[in-house]
Amino acid sequence: MTDQIWKRHEIESPCVKTCIIHPDARLCVGCLRSIDEITQWSRMSHDQRSQIMAELPQRNTLLAKRRGGRSARVGRD
């Protein structure tokens, strides 16, 4: 018996096991997928997964907002 039998040609999940849902963007901060996309991933077609994977880099900008840092502290005085 070989391992070739069990290999599947499908897009792997982008999960990085940092599962925290951003309260405003409603995306996982680890993989940038929505809850619906995460739960449906195993049932999605290759094309659906490809589309989501292509959108993930743009979604990163939704979570990259700074909370203020030094300029926010200086501005409070």
Side-chain angles (χ1 to χ4, degrees):
M1 186 152 125
T2 68
D3 288 338
Q4 292 292 50
I5 295 170
W6 302 107
K7 292 191 184 214
R8 294 173 18 178
H9 299 288
E10 59 186 34
I11 297 172
E12 300 220 6
S13 168
C15 181
V16 293
K17 296 181 175 73
T18 305
C19 304
I20 301 168
I21 302 298
H22 189 278
D24 296 328
R26 306 297 299 154
L27 298 173
C28 174
V29 298
C31 68
L32 302 174
R33 293 178 294 168
S34 70
I35 294 171
D36 289 337
E37 291 167 344
I38 293 167
T39 58
Q40 296 296 318
W41 189 261
S42 63
R43 293 183 280 281
M44 288 182 180
S45 69
H46 180 82
D47 290 338
Q48 290 171 314
R49 289 181 182 189
S50 293
Q51 181 179 356
I52 291 169
M53 293 297 285
E55 293 171 3
L56 294 182
Q58 292 85 21
R59 292 180 185 183
N60 197 32
T61 60
L62 298 172
L63 305 182
K65 297 177 183 166
R66 293 180 50 104
R67 289 186 249 168
R70 182 179 181 279
S71 62
R73 288 192 304 274
V74 171
R76 284 189 288 200
D77 296 334

